[in-house]
Amino acid sequence: MLINGKAVRIRLFGVDAPEKGQPFGEKSRQYTADLCFGKTVRMEKKDKDQYGRIVAEIYLPDGTSLNHRLVAAGFAWHYTQFSKNPDLARAQQKARAERKGLWAEPQPMAPWNWRKQHRRTSQFHAQL
């Protein structure tokens, strides 16, 4: 996100999207870009993460939440470790029932599990 002409990394509150290299990672990134690239959006800061990044909800020009739209389209998980938002929970349940996006996969893997698995694999290969 550009804030006063400066690029700033924003972590989306309450959602976790597939990683680069993970199934649906590129589709999720493209969906996000299609919704907000080059547009003026509104950011509602919620917190800062352990790396100092702003954690926020992003509102698109039409007033809808990017965070919610990603979950509803099946391009992100509701990150229940950090959010108890019932709207996100319902959006994920509906996307899953309709097999939208990543929910079309037979066994979609949550990004937090994918990261953990790939950290272990990287550590194992580094020891060889």
Side-chain angles (χ1 to χ4, degrees):
M1 180 175 215
L2 284 178
I3 300 175
N4 298 326
K6 183 180 176 206
V8 178
R9 284 190 77 109
I10 306 292
R11 174 139 178 88
L12 297 178
F13 176 76
V15 304
D16 199 1
E19 296 288 334
K20 189 190 304 187
Q22 184 178 0
F24 284 88
E26 181 57 29
K27 288 181 182 178
S28 176
R29 188 201 66 73
Q30 188 60 54
Y31 182 79
T32 303
D34 290 347
L35 288 174
C36 55
F37 185 77
K39 297 179 180 151
T40 300
V41 298
R42 184 172 60 87
M43 175 183 71
E44 186 178 299
K45 183 179 172 183
K46 303 284 189 178
D47 204 353
K48 278 204 171 196
D49 71 7
Q50 64 190 21
Y51 305 107
R53 293 177 298 195
I54 295 169
V55 179
E57 184 142 7
I58 303 298
Y59 292 94
L60 300 169
D62 67 2
T64 62
S65 163
L66 171 63
N67 309 42
H68 186 274
R69 297 264 307 259
L70 281 166
V71 173
F75 290 120
W77 271 258
H78 175 208
Y79 206 174
T80 57
Q81 180 179 348
F82 297 101
S83 166
K84 304 302 178 207
N85 183 318
D87 291 334
L88 287 177
R90 281 190 293 275
Q92 178 169 296
Q93 187 176 22
K94 187 174 190 297
R96 191 173 196 163
E98 295 174 1
R99 302 185 59 74
K100 287 183 176 178
L102 59 89
W103 299 112
E105 290 282 304
Q107 293 185 309
M109 182 181 287
W112 52 90
N113 292 330
W114 191 88
R115 288 189 294 269
K116 191 183 305 178
Q117 182 179 17
H118 282 77
R119 261 194 307 268
R120 274 197 299 251
T121 302
S122 297
Q123 290 169 352
F124 173 74
H125 289 297
Q127 292 174 359
L128 292 179

